[in-house]
Amino acid sequence: MKYFFVFAAVIVFSGCATFQSQKPHSMEACKESSREEIAALFDRWNFSLESGEPERVVENYAAESILLPTVSNKPRFTVAEKQDYFEHFLKKKPSGKIDLSHIELGCNMAIDSGLYTFTFKETGERVQGRYTFTYRWDGSDWRISSHHSSAMPEKP
């Protein structure tokens, strides 16, 4: 019987040690943020577009992220796939402008959805679209975890 209590105590205390060493999600420290800070993330992304360097654009995306682009049917998951998309997209020399934005803040995440217009310096063409950027705080910076973009279905 004595050995049973020793065995039970070892199990209980080892379970407590395991539980205490793991940080429950509900106790995760949340990054303080503001709508202005999240809105500025579009500017950061847009400046990287204007650089003409696909690598700089892709640096905005989290390692585990998805890009659902406007002018491609293929979802982009990897760095190489995103870089391939932006190599082609940047040839038109795009510059974006937010027309309408709706930002939601959460614990270490944020969502920015709305409407934007791209002007392509190469052709002078303007394209209006809908967008959703979801952002995740990685412990040191905000990164895009998903990006969906689509052209407006109705012509003005």
Side-chain angles (χ1 to χ4, degrees), residues 11-23:
I11 296 297
V12 167
F13 288 120
S14 67
C16 289
T18 301
F19 177 76
Q20 289 174 351
S21 68
Q22 295 174 348
K23 192 175 192 180

Side-chain angles (χ1 to χ4, degrees), residues 42 45-46 49-50 70 85-86 89-90 92-99 115-121 123-131 133 147 149-151:
F42 175 82
W45 179 81
N46 192 48
L49 283 182
E50 292 174 352
T70 306
Y85 174 77
F86 285 113
F89 185 69
L90 293 179
K92 295 174 148 186
K93 299 182 179 172
S95 179
K97 180 181 84 60
I98 298 288
D99 300 318
L115 306 175
Y116 52 20
T117 300
F118 277 94
T119 302
F120 297 96
K121 293 174 186 158
T123 63
E125 177 186 16
R126 289 171 43 98
V127 175
Q128 293 180 310
R130 301 177 285 194
Y131 72 88
F133 287 97
H147 174 193
S149 180
S150 59

Side-chain angles (χ1 to χ4, degrees), residues 13-115:
F13 288 120
S14 67
C16 289
T18 301
F19 177 76
Q20 289 174 351
S21 68
Q22 295 174 348
K23 192 175 192 180
H25 180 69
S26 62
M27 295 177 67
E28 180 180 278
C30 293
K31 161 78 167 90
E32 296 260 346
S33 188
S34 67
R35 285 178 171 72
E36 293 77 19
E37 179 183 23
I38 300 306
L41 296 174
F42 175 82
D43 295 333
R44 179 181 77 179
W45 179 81
N46 192 48
F47 289 139
S48 67
L49 283 182
E50 292 174 352
S51 78
E53 300 173 28
E55 303 82 16
R56 282 193 56 198
V57 180
V58 175
E59 288 173 359
N60 292 288
Y61 292 82
E64 297 287 321
S65 62
I66 184 171
L67 167 63
L68 299 169
T70 306
V71 294
S72 173
N73 291 336
K74 180 181 178 186
R76 310 297 172 121
F77 294 96
T78 68
V79 168
E81 289 172 336
K82 291 178 189 91
Q83 201 162 315
D84 173 68
Y85 174 77
F86 285 113
E87 282 174 10
H88 295 91
F89 185 69
L90 293 179
K91 287 180 182 176
K92 295 174 148 186
K93 299 182 179 172
S95 179
K97 180 181 84 60
I98 298 288
D99 300 318
L100 177 139
S101 174
H102 175 78
I103 294 174
E104 298 178 51
L105 303 174
C107 180
N108 296 328
M109 59 81 57
I111 302 168
D112 181 1
S113 298
L115 306 175

